[in-house]
Amino acid sequence: MSALPEFQTAHVIRILHLEDSRVDHALVKFALQRSHVACELTLVDTLPDFERELDHGHHDIVLADYHLPGFTGLDAWELVRQRAQPLPFVVLSGAIGEAAAVEAMHRGISDYLLKDNMTRLAHVIERAIEVSRARQARTRSDAELAASQRRLGELAEHLQTSIERERADIAREIHDDIGGALAAVRLDLSWVARRTTDPDLKQHMDTALEMLRHALEASQRIMMNLRPPILDQGLVAAVQWLGTNFERRTGLRVGVRTSSETLDVPRDVQLVAYRTAQEALTNVAKHAMASSVEIDLSDREGVLTLEVSDNGRGMTEQERRKAKSFGLLGLHERAHKVDGWLDVSSGPRGTSVILSVPLTPEARAVTGEDDSEEEPMQIKEGNA
């Protein structure tokens, strides 16, 4: 039997031995000595003593007989399994049937060994401790990863909130300062244009007024993009405005379909849906090379569903995952913020961005049901 050098030099194994036979306890001690395992054995033979050692002792592993007076090794394992960090647990029995061994392993014990095979005891202990350490390390890593993801989610939510707040501030400044100033200049130029008789001056005035008209329209458009006051009229009106405005700017045909004239949607969900449609349309204009876009908006079955589909060239997996491509990632985070989710499907016939947000507790519990019997949506073209 090979020795266990890491245990000899670096660590003394503290073994809690649950055994009612002093002879068998001595055999365990002898087997470990022959394998040159540095260890400390604590012997207990009742469940109360065993539980007390679990509470107050410091042990690396449990060795437990299977048949004990009034209880079994599995009863002891149940006490260990309830701990925050269960110790590795090895059943060491003189006679354990196959069914009992299968049940023990199914319940999660580390290993089992027959007492007539004591030469393997050191190896079994070593392996059980190594597996336990690996499992604890994986549990810590999973917990750290979950905490990191939670912090990233909180950061993303904070950033989105800050961005929306800054957008509102900028839109307010554009309206109050720039918009007001442009409107005043337009009034003054109109006043001058009405009173001049010089043809050259009048032509310059008309040109300036036209430029001012474009500047005012641009400021209105920027304000709508930064802080959409049209959401005060409801999500349906806001999405229809997006479609109409997008069609006017790009020349692409936009169809908007809704399940009803108005949708009862919380303000935060409205904003997420609006930004999702806005980002999806922006991606269509930049990358899709499409000729038409369809926007479907529904709140059936207590789930808000927004789908923006185009007939463009689609996206490759590399394009979706390329570095510094944060648009879709931001949409995922927005959806997660309101307990929703985002699906993106793409192929040679185009791309679909689908946002789903449960609006009721029942809808949060039941999703993905067949909706093939739905009534047809009302059709509202974006250029209507």
Side-chain angles (χ1 to χ4, degrees):
M1 180 67 195
S2 61
L4 304 177
E6 77 167 285
F7 293 148
Q8 293 176 41
T9 59
H11 182 62
V12 175
I13 307 176
R14 297 163 298 187
I15 303 173
L16 178 57
H17 192 194
L18 181 57
E19 174 63 70
D20 63 331
S21 169
R22 299 300 186 271
V23 173
D24 288 345
H25 176 65
L27 289 174
V28 166
K29 185 182 296 185
F30 179 70
L32 294 175
Q33 287 175 347
R34 287 192 59 184
S35 297
H36 308 290
V37 177
C39 61
E40 296 176 357
L41 282 91
T42 301
L43 178 64
V44 293
D45 57 7
T46 66
L47 275 183
D49 290 343
F50 180 73
E51 190 168 11
R52 185 183 66 252
E53 283 295 329
L54 290 178
D55 291 335
H56 304 293
H58 300 281
H59 307 285
D60 299 311
I61 189 171
V62 173
L63 291 181
D65 192 6
Y66 185 79
H67 297 287
L68 292 143
F71 64 98
T72 69
L74 292 185
D75 297 320
W77 165 240
E78 290 302 320
L79 294 176
V80 174
R81 189 166 66 171
Q82 295 170 7
R83 308 283 155 159
Q85 291 188 340
L87 294 172
F89 191 100
V90 174
V91 170
L92 184 62
S93 177
I96 180 173
E98 182 177 349
V102 170
E103 180 186 4
M105 297 300 292
H106 180 71
R107 290 195 186 185
I109 69 165
S110 304
D111 209 341
Y112 73 92
L113 183 68
L114 297 178
K115 290 181 178 178
D116 59 4
N117 195 15
M118 286 286 191
T119 55
R120 295 191 62 248
L121 181 58
H123 173 72
V124 169
I125 290 175
E126 176 187 26
R127 181 177 180 277
I129 291 176
E130 288 178 350
V131 170
S132 177
R133 288 174 178 171
R135 184 180 296 114
Q136 291 175 8
R138 185 169 62 250
T139 299
R140 287 193 299 269
S141 297
D142 291 344
E144 291 172 359
L145 178 60
S148 176
Q149 291 175 334
R150 184 175 62 255
R151 289 193 296 271
L152 285 176
E154 292 171 351
L155 175 60
E157 181 176 350
H158 171 72
L159 290 176
Q160 291 293 350
T161 302
S162 300
I163 289 171
E164 292 296 342
R165 188 181 299 115
E166 289 177 3
R167 282 175 167 173
D169 293 340
I170 294 171
R172 191 176 300 110
E173 290 181 11
I174 291 175
H175 178 271
D176 296 343
D177 298 336
I178 299 176
L182 290 176
V185 171
R186 185 179 184 184
L187 289 174
D188 288 340
L189 286 177
S190 298
W191 185 88
V192 173
R194 288 195 302 269
R195 284 160 177 77
T196 184
T197 57
D198 186 329
D200 292 336
L201 181 59
K202 186 173 180 56
Q203 182 179 355
H204 284 292
M205 286 294 179
D206 291 341
T207 302
L209 285 170
E210 182 65 16
M211 294 178 63
L212 273 173
R213 184 180 67 80
H214 285 299
L216 282 168
E217 289 178 354
S219 66
Q220 290 290 333
R221 186 177 66 252
I222 293 170
M223 283 189 295
M224 290 291 289
N225 288 333
L226 288 171
R227 182 178 180 271
I230 196 169
L231 279 175
D232 295 334
Q233 302 177 30
L235 182 59
V236 173
V239 171
Q240 288 173 347
W241 178 85
L242 268 180
T244 301
N245 189 55
F246 181 80
E247 186 173 69
R248 184 184 301 117
R249 287 189 295 107
T250 64
L252 303 182
R253 188 189 68 82
V254 179
V256 180
R257 301 189 297 174
T258 65
S259 59
S260 60
E261 293 289 344
T262 59
L263 302 180
D264 185 15
V265 180
R267 177 72 183 189
D268 58 340
V269 177
Q270 287 187 27
L271 186 58
V272 169
Y274 180 88
R275 293 301 187 198
T276 299
Q278 188 179 45
E279 179 68 23
L281 290 174
T282 299
N283 287 337
V284 171
K286 287 183 177 179
H287 310 295
M289 300 174 63
S291 61
S292 66
V293 183
E294 298 293 334
I295 303 176
D296 294 339
L297 188 63
S298 168
D299 64 347
R300 291 192 178 95
E301 305 297 331
V303 178
L304 176 70
T305 303
L306 170 73
E307 180 175 359
V308 181
S309 304
D310 66 68
N311 64 349
R313 64 180 183 84
M315 291 188 300
T316 65
E317 191 65 24
Q318 290 77 10
E319 288 175 325
R320 292 173 59 178
R321 298 183 180 275
K322 66 180 181 180
K324 298 183 180 180
S325 179
F326 300 117
L328 291 178
L329 179 62
L331 294 184
H332 279 284
E333 290 297 332
R334 283 182 178 273
H336 180 70
K337 177 183 176 182
V338 291
D339 297 325
W341 59 95
L342 190 82
D343 294 316
V344 179
S345 60
S346 188
R349 296 185 178 182
T351 300
S352 292
V353 177
I354 305 173
L355 170 71
S356 302
V357 182
L359 301 175
T360 64
E362 294 78 8
R364 295 176 193 274
V366 181
T367 57
E369 297 181 353
D370 188 351
D371 243 359
S372 57
E373 300 299 323
E374 290 183 351
E375 299 177 358
M377 288 184 171
Q378 302 176 20
I379 306 298
K380 292 179 180 275
E381 292 298 326
N383 59 354

